[in-house]
Amino acid sequence: MSRFFSEKYSALVPYVPGEQPQNRKYNKLNTNESPFPPSPYALKLGREAAGDCQLYSDPDCRQLRAVASEKLGVGENEIVFVNGSDEILNFAFMAFCDKDHPAIFPNISYGFYPVFAQINNVPYREIPLREDLTVNVDDYIGVEGNVFIANPNAPTGIALPLSDIERIVAGNLDRVVVVDEAYVDFGAESAVCLVKKYDNLLVTQTFSKSRSLAGARLGFGIGNEKLIADINTIRFSTNPYNINKVTEKMGIGALCDEDYFRANCETIIKTREYTAEKLKSLGFEMTDSKANFLFAKHKKAKGGDIYVEVKERGVLVRHFGKPLIDDYLRITIGSREQMDALIAELEKIL
Ligand code: PMP
């Protein structure tokens, strides 16, 4: 820390992203990226847009919003695009939370929530998951602050049915409920259909997983027009050009290439079920993941030990080293070949 760093941030513990090693080519199953390249149409539009980068991008993302509105069935003023969904999660903490409106989220969930709370000086309460790592919906009814809930949850992968999400939204009509649907396309139910009914619901999604654009940084939020206007007030006060020209066009391409998107999601789901069976036969237990990863622990071997052993053999998975989940590994679903390579290494180790 330099002697100039503001005291207000001196205790801040930054979020630690999954490793992105450059030194060696790993079988990378640690950050839930897609094993498939961006859609060919997204690539074509992105390449064309690169030639116009002497100009600023459109701060209103009008073309992308028009396409998204049609494809996702929401009004153009009910959607806002952001530089990865992390950005809108931060904006939501900035826009809706303060000392009188604390944040509430599960004790095991996306590791960025407590960081966003800290950087924005927002008090927060973490609600423990049940022992089986599920969310007890009753704990989230009539709570004292804004709710942040990932569905499916991360890193457990466990999804709540839409009826439970609606119970949380309806149970906190004077609070904002942010439903983080980063992984929804791999088998969970989206709450987007509820935004016209509830003005306190903000749904966030990303192009990083199911649409193969993690490196382009594109996410979005869907909610009541007034909530979206608030997010835009924050966005225009921080970085109105948050979506660059290439990314906006790639987003349009990805949304238009629906067959590619659907086929990839189906393949991931099939590969997830295939991998789960293989892991079971090796002595792993798993949550019922509806995401593009499995959350697995071995009956005998320690999570931290397996993480180190497979890394030495060129396979990267995620180990959180946190109480309650210390023995778990979060394993991204890659291609069938990537998963077979992991299984082969695990067979040797175990
Ligand atoms: N929410 C959850 C639960 C996540 O795991 C991630 C990915 N790290 C994000 C949001 C943010 O993803 P992105 O910023 O790439 O859209």
Side-chain angles (χ1 to χ4, degrees), residues 15 31-32 83-87 89 109-110 112-113 150 152-154 180-183 204-209 214 217-219 293 330:
Y15 175 71
T31 45
N32 301 340
N83 193 289
S85 54
D86 281 340
E87 189 175 52
L89 293 168
S109 192
Y110 186 30
F112 230 139
Y113 303 153
N153 196 11
D180 174 353
E181 295 188 348
Y183 301 103
T204 67
Q205 291 191 14
T206 180
F207 281 55
S208 296
K209 320 290 175 185
R217 312 302 300 128
L218 187 63
F293 54 80
R330 193 195 65 188

Side-chain angles (χ1 to χ4, degrees), residues 57-66 76-77 79-81 232 235-236 240-243 248:
S57 56
D58 172 13
D60 293 316
C61 263
R62 276 164 293 195
Q63 292 181 14
L64 178 53
R65 275 197 302 132
E76 288 185 28
N77 293 330
I79 186 162
V80 58
F81 280 91
N232 273 320
R235 188 173 70 85
F236 275 88
Y241 303 111
N242 60 336
I243 307 301
E248 182 182 4

